[in-house]
Amino acid sequence: MNNRIMGLLSLCRKAGKLRIGFEPVREAAAAGEAKLVLYAADFSPRSRRRMESLLNGSGVPPEQRELEQTMGELARICGKAAGVVAVANDGFAAGLKKLMCGPDEGGAE
């Protein structure tokens, strides 16, 4: 499943629908573009709290989830080190959510 998530994130990046890093994610959320915010497994708890606070203050906050992948693994897909990314497309966001949820939640096994 991890390969499928990373593959979909790669397609999202190639399509220009992935915002990579703290400021681009914040800007995408403020503009209402962010449909899903993903945190790397090793993203700093302090930075995550700061990002969550900014997202919750931006009107309708996007859904937020934690990846199993580390910042290093994300860097291979994104082209730069980042602990947080935002998906700016409904289709990609729906596909990622489906891959990330467990069988109990109706997602892919």
Side-chain angles (χ1 to χ4, degrees):
M1 179 168 33
N2 288 342
N3 288 338
R4 294 177 71 191
I5 290 171
M6 297 306 276
L8 194 51
L9 280 173
S10 179
L11 285 173
C12 185
R13 182 190 58 81
K14 289 174 184 174
K17 299 298 180 182
L18 190 66
R19 306 300 179 257
I20 304 162
F22 198 94
E23 284 304 311
V25 169
R26 183 192 62 76
E27 291 168 3
E33 294 176 357
K35 308 301 180 194
L36 176 65
V37 174
L38 302 170
Y39 298 100
D42 58 347
F43 190 53
S44 157
R46 181 174 182 230
S47 295
R48 181 172 176 157
R49 283 191 305 272
R50 189 170 152 231
M51 176 57 73
E52 288 171 343
S53 175
L54 289 170
L55 293 174
N56 290 332
S58 68
V60 179
E63 188 169 342
Q64 302 169 54
R65 302 232 178 150
E66 184 169 323
L67 293 166
E68 294 177 7
Q69 292 77 16
T70 64
M71 287 190 283
E73 292 168 319
L74 271 179
R76 284 186 287 235
I77 297 298
C78 299
K80 67 178 186 176
V84 62
V85 296
V87 177
N89 176 276
D90 289 321
F92 283 122
L96 285 163
K97 285 189 264 189
K98 184 176 180 182
L99 288 173
M100 292 177 78
C101 67
D104 296 342
E105 300 174 61
E109 292 184 29

